Amino acid sequence: MRVVVSIGGSVLAPDLAADRVEQHAAAIDELVADGHEVAVVVGGGDVARQYIGTARDLGATEYDLDALGIDVTRLNARLLVTALESSATPEPAETHEAARASLRRGEVAVMGGTVPGHTTDAVSAMLAEMVQADLLVYATSVPGVFSADPNVDDDAERFDTLSASELVDVISSIETTAGSNAPVDLLATKIIERSGLRAVVLDGTDPERIVAAVEGAFDGTEVVPDD
Ligand code: UTP
């Protein structure tokens, strides 16, 4: 199976602990050993938010704040590459084209962000679309897609399965709520919808759940193409 795994920065490196990065690398290595082609997109998490907060106070433009976020995602990508034992391209890919070339060489592709204006959620969806991935896994810090933000709304319910168009609707309604924190951004959902991608959103703090999802044991929200 060809799989794109999107690992949130707050999942991979909330505190830059080496053993957590190693555990994620081990899960990717396991997928490769099982015969899967794997590309990984890594987010920036709280470290990116801290840099962005400081630079915003210093008067940086939104474009430059995004550029700072991209730099942090690439640092996290570099950490993951360092920990991987399977043959990963040593330099994180800076473009989707470079990531696709890595996959074609039979290497694990690891990348962070690309250009300002979106997040690594969208980067992952674009990569999955480009390489025609069989599955796109979002390893987030929440156990799936909820009807509202579970951290602030006790009535929030998790969806076990959503069609891609339902996912777009759910995420749009969450994103229009002030201060909300959607597990996947809206652009990503639109790409998932237009490409008919299969995706799963899960709690990736235990990376074995990523392996389980690829093996078909979804503990999260499964997104299926519209008919
Ligand atoms: P993330 O993808 O980590 O954003 O990129 P996020 O969703 O806020 O954080 P997670 O999911 O908790 O990890 C960090 C920031 O980098 C910029 C954006 O500003 C984003 O918020 N970025 C990232 C881009 O501008 N372009 C990209 O392709 C990726």
Side-chain angles (χ1 to χ4, degrees):
M1 201 187 275
R2 186 173 302 141
V3 188
V4 173
V5 183
S6 177
I7 307 181
S10 42
V11 170
L12 180 76
D15 49 8
L16 297 177
D19 59 346
R20 189 173 290 102
V21 180
E22 261 170 4
Q23 286 161 14
H24 278 89
I28 303 299
D29 286 333
E30 197 176 330
L31 288 175
V32 173
D34 289 346
H36 301 291
E37 285 176 52
V38 186
V40 189
V41 180
V42 178
D46 278 339
V47 178
R49 271 186 281 277
Q50 282 171 29
Y51 269 94
I52 287 170
T54 301
R56 183 172 275 126
D57 292 344
L58 292 169
T61 62
E62 291 299 316
Y63 187 98
D64 285 330
L65 296 177
D66 279 350
L68 201 50
I70 293 167
D71 285 345
V72 177
T73 65
R74 288 178 176 163
L75 287 176
N76 283 340
R78 217 174 257 287
L79 274 184
L80 184 63
V81 167
T82 305
L84 281 168
E85 285 182 8
S86 50
S87 123
T89 310
E91 291 297 312
E94 297 198 352
T95 63
H96 288 102
E97 288 77 8
R100 175 169 61 184
S102 294
L103 282 178
R104 290 204 175 156
R105 288 193 301 271
E107 297 171 0
V108 175
V110 181
M111 70 188 295
T114 52
V115 293
H118 52 233
T119 74
T120 51
D121 294 343
V123 172
S124 321
M126 287 179 217
L127 183 59
E129 177 177 75
M130 181 195 217
V131 303
Q132 297 180 290
D134 301 296
L135 184 66
L136 168 60
V137 179
Y138 283 103
T140 73
S141 49
V142 287
V145 180
F146 286 71
S147 54
D149 186 343
N151 296 317
V152 294
D153 188 342
D154 290 341
D155 294 331
E157 283 179 25
R158 188 177 85 176
F159 298 103
D160 291 333
T161 307
L162 286 170
S163 70
S165 57
E166 288 170 335
L167 178 71
V168 172
D169 291 344
V170 170
I171 298 298
S172 336
S173 72
I174 295 175
E175 283 205 347
T176 48
T177 311
S180 66
N181 196 6
V184 182
D185 75 26
L186 191 56
L187 178 57
T189 68
K190 298 292 272 183
I191 294 164
I192 290 168
E193 183 185 34
R194 78 175 185 181
S195 295
L197 288 165
R198 279 180 64 235
V200 61
V201 180
L202 50 73
D203 176 353
T205 50
D206 176 357
E208 274 306 309
R209 292 200 197 99
I210 299 171
V211 178
V214 174
E215 287 166 353
F218 294 106
D219 181 14
T221 299
E222 188 180 5
V223 183
V224 294
D226 288 273
D227 291 335

